[in-house]
Amino acid sequence: MSIYILSIESSCDDTCAAIIKDNKILASVVSSQQVHKFYGGVVPELASRAHQQNIVPVVERALKIAKINKKQLNAVAFTRGPGLLGSLLVGVSFAKAFALGLSIPLIEVDHLQAHILAHFIQEQGASSVTPLFPFLCLTVSGGNTQINIVKGYFDMEIIGKTIDDAAGETFDKCAKIMELPYPGGPVIDNYAKKGNADAFKFSKPNIKGLNFSFSGLKTSFLYFLRDQLKENSNYIQENKYDLCASIQRVIVLILMEKLKKASLHTGIKEIAIAGGVSANSFLRDSLLKAQKQLGWNVFIPKNEYCTDNAAMIAIVAYYKFLKKDFASQRVAPYARSGTKT
Ligand code: KG4
């Protein structure tokens, strides 16, 4: 008998629902909240209100695309954390009520684990190659930057992480300094295609081991532009493509340097990337180059599974369902990793 699971993702500013049948995704719906564009970043209170408005239509749409009736569902999964507490609460409360109403189990999923296990998403009618354990995964999103050794679906070890800002946050903040729209990562990626990445030199931080730091780079970018603007108020406008290409280059160089070090240190050549920043075209190209030069076996998710989505929650839920790893109705969300109660 097949297993059908509805999954909900509401950790930040995307309201997402997916339906999985065994390990095959039948539907994955994402409703991105537009309201934050006016503010240059996510406003938590507005995000939770928008989730409340979006969640019912998004779930209805997922059920319709999957062509299943809610009575066929065997479980409801949700992102428990990390993320914005108000946003998570909407998804968690919805999932609890839905599971209670249908008398089916609840499954809690960790958002970062889901980004990594997105590599195991299978689509109906398509076969895809998945990484072999153990593999290294560089997870780069708006709130996190870390390298994990992934030894099994539920056996992961963090071997490096950011000591301050995340890579996605750095893209977004540098874009904001240049008065580009939010989220800045995709805009920088696009503008960079028309620019010269060697036009400006921004220095990489000197952080020992496999940890990352981005706050110094962000500050040096801010001060550099502040000085240039004193001389020429049109400086950003006149150089925006080169500025985007140059800042993108250094962010990706920092990520690649640590990933190469991690591979050397662990001897693992099975390499994956995950999270919103893994949609970045220069990072993708750099990985493919490393695949050729270093003999890596590289895994890059489809763009729609890089940024927040519920298909990644569904695949984790499927493996948890097989273990009968269910959550209680008293479960509460957590804002940060390591703060579960
Ligand atoms: O994983 P995600 O959707 O949300 C979480 O933070 O969990 O990641 C969002 C981040 C944002 O910082 C966004 O600017 C960045 O991913 N991003 C990109 C690109 N697409 C999204 N950064 C660089 N290049 C891109 N193409």
Side-chain angles (χ1 to χ4, degrees):
M1 200 192 77
S2 290
I3 298 160
Y4 290 91
I5 301 172
L6 162 70
S7 61
I8 310 286
E9 152 64 36
S10 70
S11 63
C12 192
D13 59 339
D14 293 311
T15 317
C16 319
I19 308 284
I20 200 166
K21 178 187 176 189
D22 299 323
N23 66 344
K24 295 262 193 291
I25 293 295
L26 299 182
S28 176
V29 179
V30 178
S31 170
S32 296
Q33 303 174 0
Q34 300 304 315
V35 60
H36 310 288
K37 289 211 162 102
F38 299 107
Y39 302 93
V42 178
V43 183
E45 177 60 26
L46 296 179
S48 29
R49 287 177 194 217
H51 281 306
Q52 281 190 319
Q53 285 174 334
N54 297 343
I55 195 143
V56 172
V58 162
V59 169
E60 275 178 348
R61 186 151 170 68
L63 286 165
K64 200 169 168 191
I65 293 171
K67 296 195 182 68
I68 67 154
N69 185 292
K70 61 179 185 294
K71 294 203 172 106
Q72 288 174 261
L73 292 170
N74 299 97
V76 181
F78 61 93
T79 304
R80 186 174 168 196
L84 300 171
L85 214 47
S87 290
L88 289 164
L89 269 169
V90 178
V92 176
S93 312
F94 181 90
K96 281 184 186 181
F98 213 82
L100 200 60
L102 293 169
S103 298
I104 54 177
L106 260 181
I107 301 174
E108 62 165 89
V109 173
D110 180 88
H111 183 80
L112 292 176
Q113 200 167 52
H115 268 307
I116 296 171
L117 296 185
H119 285 282
F120 295 91
I121 294 173
Q122 302 280 335
E123 292 174 342
Q124 283 282 86
S127 63
S128 54
V129 185
T130 54
L132 295 175
F133 300 120
F135 64 91
L136 290 181
C137 188
L138 169 72
T139 308
V140 266
S141 66
N144 294 279
T145 297
Q146 53 181 238
I147 301 177
N148 277 270
I149 303 183
V150 187
K151 301 169 194 166
Y153 294 120
F154 300 104
D155 185 5
M156 303 180 187
E157 183 192 343
I158 301 172
I159 55 170
K161 61 181 182 184
T162 182
I163 56 169
D164 41 55
D165 298 336
E169 195 179 348
T170 312
F171 270 108
D172 295 339
K173 294 218 171 119
C174 290
K176 195 170 180 180
I177 294 168
M178 292 186 280
E179 295 184 358
L180 298 176
Y182 175 85
V187 183
I188 291 187
D189 191 352
N190 258 334
Y191 281 9
K193 289 182 183 129
K194 296 185 198 161
N196 171 11
D198 295 315
F200 303 103
K201 292 276 176 258
F202 300 106
S203 52
K204 287 182 287 172
N206 190 9
I207 307 293
K208 286 205 179 101
L210 297 173
N211 285 341
F212 301 89
S213 167
F214 290 101
S215 67
L217 173 64
K218 210 178 58 191
T219 312
S220 70
F221 189 69
L222 175 72
Y223 289 171
F224 171 76
L225 285 181
R226 196 187 55 184
D227 292 346
Q228 301 305 321
L229 287 169
K230 280 185 200 151
E231 307 289 320
N232 172 4
S233 60
N234 268 336
Y235 190 83
I236 294 177
Q237 191 53 30
E238 287 166 12
N239 295 283
K240 65 181 176 195
Y241 298 130
D242 288 349
L243 284 166
C244 286
S246 302
I247 194 70
Q248 172 177 272
R249 178 181 170 276
V250 67
I251 295 171
V252 171
L253 283 182
I254 294 170
L255 296 172
M256 287 302 298
E257 199 168 87
K258 295 292 174 154
L259 199 51
K260 285 178 185 169
K261 203 169 179 178
S263 169
L264 213 61
H265 181 72
T266 58
I268 299 173
K269 292 193 170 196
E270 196 87 348
I271 312 285
I273 52 171
V277 180
S278 59
N280 183 266
S281 52
F282 186 55
L283 176 59
R284 288 170 168 244
D285 290 348
S286 305
L287 270 163
L288 294 175
K289 213 184 251 174
Q291 171 161 267
K292 271 199 193 138
Q293 287 171 348
L294 305 170
W296 285 1
N297 205 11
V298 161
F299 296 86
I300 301 175
K302 276 173 81 173
N303 265 351
E304 65 201 270
Y305 301 137
C306 290
T307 45
D308 288 347
N309 66 88
M312 65 183 194
I313 307 303
I315 192 73
V316 181
Y318 169 70
Y319 290 117
K320 284 198 160 188
F321 189 97
L322 296 182
K323 295 198 302 165
K324 296 202 178 348
D325 185 353
F326 301 131
S328 116
Q329 275 284 340
R330 281 180 300 184
V331 69
Y334 53 89
R336 276 171 302 168
S337 296
T339 56
K340 261 196 218 184
T341 50

